[in-house]
Amino acid sequence: MRRGAQLALAAALGLGVIGAAQAADYKAEYKISTVIGQPFPWGESAVKWADLVRERTNGRINMKMYPGAQLVAGDQTKEFTAIRQGIIDMAVGSTINWSPQIPELNLFSLPFLMPDHKSIDALTQGPVGKKLFEVIASKDVVPLAWGENGFRELSNSKQPVRTPADMKGLKIRVVGSPLFLDTFTALGANPTQMSWADAQPAFATKAVDGQENPVSIFVAAKLPNVGQNNLTLWGYMADPLIFVVNKRVWESFSPEDQKIVREAAIEAGKFGIDMGRKGISGNDMSVIDGIKASGVEVVTLTPEQRKQFVDATRDVYTKWKPRIGPELVDMAEKSIKGN
């Protein structure tokens, strides 16, 4: 064998040994935390991420979804802290649930900031999204891609909601966020914080009147079966999802595997976004039509009706803007206006 060929073979063998050694240092399983599993778009996108990574790394990196925030005993607001601490390896997390630790993420919960899906994209795929990734990266967590849980729509078992007056006294389940409490209090409702696991039995017993969640959850959770027969499409806020990896876990991966994990997250994020928007926007309203066919009364706000809700929550918007960061909110408003 010629010397050049020998050197090439030795180099190839050496790289193989290094690669095998590095793979041997990887965990047998990496835990992905999510609040919601399959068949919801949230869970489906996490599974898609795991499948793509496993396939493209030839099994070097095995990721498994743990839904229901079970890695933090069901307390979804503690998820981000657990990622920082290394208790959780990876997550597809909600901007709402992580906002207690990252105040800037309350941006997406500002009432009636984003009028449509184009507005969400203008934020996540523009300078706002870049800035938020910088904030997350400063906290020992590596953000990779955006996903989406969707616009949160309002349902209840009492009556159709077309104006803020229709919400007076309604007991509405909300997530554990002070901004949500402020918003629903301003609208005259009685916001009640509880986990999603506790919420569904509460709907069935009429202990709680209603909830706000994306249409995909309304359908997959079969909420009409627990009395949620009035649905208002008001798009008052949206909940982007973020694919992240604990910093120490990320740094343990080879550059090649980092590239694979990042690209797979981006692909899985787009997959989940498409899945969540299908049938509820544009020319395809098949999901909404199906909800109507099941006997649910669906209200779509007119521009005039929507303005009443905007006006009713304007003080909440003003109160929270400095808490989130005036510059960030201004940047978001500019991005939406220019899309």
Side-chain angles (χ1 to χ4, degrees):
M1 183 181 293
R2 289 187 302 176
R3 180 169 177 77
Q6 289 176 327
L7 289 173
L9 178 60
L13 289 173
L15 287 173
V17 170
I18 293 170
Q22 192 160 34
D25 292 337
Y26 287 4
K27 294 183 182 183
E29 176 189 285
Y30 292 92
K31 295 178 173 63
I32 308 174
S33 178
T34 66
V35 173
I36 298 174
Q38 296 169 297
F40 304 93
W42 190 339
E44 293 288 356
S45 62
V47 170
K48 180 78 169 178
W49 186 23
D51 288 346
L52 290 172
V53 170
R54 186 180 302 109
E55 175 187 337
R56 294 172 184 177
T57 62
N58 297 314
R60 286 191 305 279
I61 300 177
N62 291 292
M63 298 155 57
K64 181 180 178 182
M65 178 181 68
Y66 286 79
Q70 59 185 282
L71 299 177
V72 284
D75 189 346
Q76 54 215 59
T77 61
K78 293 181 178 178
E79 185 179 61
F80 188 79
T81 299
I83 300 165
R84 295 188 70 182
Q85 294 171 341
I87 297 169
I88 293 173
D89 300 312
M90 302 158 175
V92 180
S94 156
T95 55
I96 298 170
N97 294 333
W98 293 356
S99 62
Q101 289 79 40
I102 311 171
E104 292 88 347
L105 292 181
N106 281 299
L107 173 74
F108 298 104
S109 298
L110 280 175
F112 302 99
L113 169 67
M114 298 165 285
D116 50 31
H117 288 114
K118 285 178 62 179
S119 300
I120 303 176
D121 295 339
L123 299 188
T124 60
Q125 305 306 313
V128 169
K130 182 179 179 182
K131 177 62 178 177
L132 290 172
F133 271 21
E134 290 172 357
V135 172
I136 293 169
S138 72
K139 300 180 183 295
D140 298 323
V141 175
V142 180
L144 304 179
W146 291 96
E148 189 172 289
N149 193 29
F151 276 107
R152 298 177 76 90
E153 314 293 8
L154 179 71
S155 73
N156 79 91
S157 59
K158 294 285 189 181
Q159 62 197 26
V161 171
R162 295 182 175 86
T163 70
D166 296 327
M167 294 184 65
K168 186 174 178 58
L170 287 181
K171 194 170 184 180
I172 304 294
R173 177 267 175 182
V174 297
V175 297
S177 165
L179 177 45
F180 280 65
L181 293 177
D182 285 351
T183 297
F184 281 84
T185 299
L187 291 169
N190 178 12
T192 303
Q193 293 183 0
M194 63 173 59
S195 71
W196 184 241
D198 293 335
Q200 295 181 73
F203 302 144
T205 62
K206 309 297 185 188
V208 173
D209 299 318
Q211 60 85 52
E212 45 78 55
N213 255 311
V215 170
S216 61
I217 292 177
F218 181 88
V219 172
K222 300 179 180 178
L223 292 186
N225 292 349
V226 287
Q228 297 294 294
N229 293 318
N230 297 284
L231 177 65
T232 297
L233 304 178
W234 64 341
Y236 86 109
M237 59 83 59
D239 183 22
L241 303 175
I242 307 176
F243 290 67
V244 301
V245 179
N246 168 271
K247 185 179 180 181
R248 289 183 296 279
V249 170
W250 180 255
E251 291 175 346
S252 74
F253 293 155
S254 69
E256 294 78 13
D257 284 342
Q258 288 178 352
K259 184 173 185 289
I260 289 171
V261 173
R262 185 186 299 276
E263 290 179 349
I266 293 170
E267 188 172 331
K270 291 178 180 177
F271 168 81
I273 290 170
D274 290 343
M275 184 178 179
R277 294 181 184 182
K278 185 176 181 181
I280 64 169
S281 61
N283 295 324
D284 179 9
M285 299 295 287
S286 56
V287 171
I288 302 301
D289 292 340
I291 292 172
K292 292 177 179 178
S294 71
V296 174
E297 181 163 354
V298 178
V299 172
T300 300
L301 298 183
T302 65
E304 293 75 22
Q305 289 171 333
R306 186 177 187 275
K307 186 177 184 302
Q308 292 183 52
F309 286 92
V310 172
D311 292 343
T313 56
R314 179 53 58 185
D315 287 346
V316 176
Y317 192 106
T318 302
K319 172 185 175 180
W320 277 85
K321 181 173 179 176
R323 298 185 183 188
I324 294 166
E327 299 83 3
L328 183 64
V329 175
D330 288 342
M331 186 188 300
E333 293 171 347
K334 183 177 180 181
S335 296
I336 290 171
K337 187 175 181 180
N339 77 49

